[in-house]
Amino acid sequence: PFVIPEYLRTQLEEFEVLREFSNKNSYRRLLNNGPNQTYESLYEYFSQILEIHGPMEINNKLLVGEYENFPEEARKIVEDEGGLKSFLLKSLRFTMVDDLIGLRK
């Protein structure tokens, strides 16, 4: 049988937490509280990803992949604000240097 090596178990646990959070039902809950709450919830979601993984390129597969899994309504909100990069940078939580997006300290 396949066994996850001990040194990878922490990363697996982090991954499982992210996958649970990215469940489409979680996204649906984000949309039920109106636009302002939706923005804040999305900011919080991406903040959690960046807290775990550190700064990333804006086109990182993890960020883009999660964004592509959002319900259509959430993607429309982001697109209406100028896309993922513009949407994140409108929040004071995030900063961008070159093509890396990270959390402000």
Side-chain angles (χ1 to χ4, degrees), residues 4-19:
I4 304 292
E6 187 68 37
Y7 70 94
L8 291 177
R9 289 189 183 160
T10 302
Q11 291 177 345
L12 176 63
E13 290 170 7
E14 291 173 355
F15 174 77
E16 288 173 346
V17 167
L18 282 174
R19 290 309 302 163

Side-chain angles (χ1 to χ4, degrees), residues 29-43 73-74 77-78 80-81 87:
R29 283 196 308 266
L30 298 177
L31 299 172
N32 292 335
N33 297 320
N36 289 337
Q37 185 60 40
T38 299
Y39 293 136
E40 286 306 312
S41 297
L42 292 172
Y43 291 146
E73 303 96 309
I77 289 171
V78 173
D80 288 349
E81 291 295 316
F87 181 69

Side-chain angles (χ1 to χ4, degrees), residues 58-92:
I58 192 68
N59 60 357
N60 181 283
K61 287 182 182 181
L62 178 61
L63 292 177
V64 174
E66 289 302 317
Y67 171 70
E68 289 173 350
N69 287 325
F70 284 5
E72 185 177 334
E73 303 96 309
R75 286 194 317 264
K76 181 169 177 12
I77 289 171
V78 173
E79 292 304 317
D80 288 349
E81 291 295 316
L84 186 59
K85 178 179 175 181
S86 295
F87 181 69
L88 290 177
L89 293 178
K90 288 184 179 183
S91 170
L92 296 177

Side-chain angles (χ1 to χ4, degrees), residues 50 54-60 63 85 88-89 95-102:
L50 294 171
M56 325 181 142
E57 291 184 0
I58 192 68
N59 60 357
N60 181 283
L63 292 177
K85 178 179 175 181
L88 290 177
L89 293 178
T95 187
M96 187 157 202
V97 176
D98 296 324
D99 284 335
L100 292 178
I101 190 148

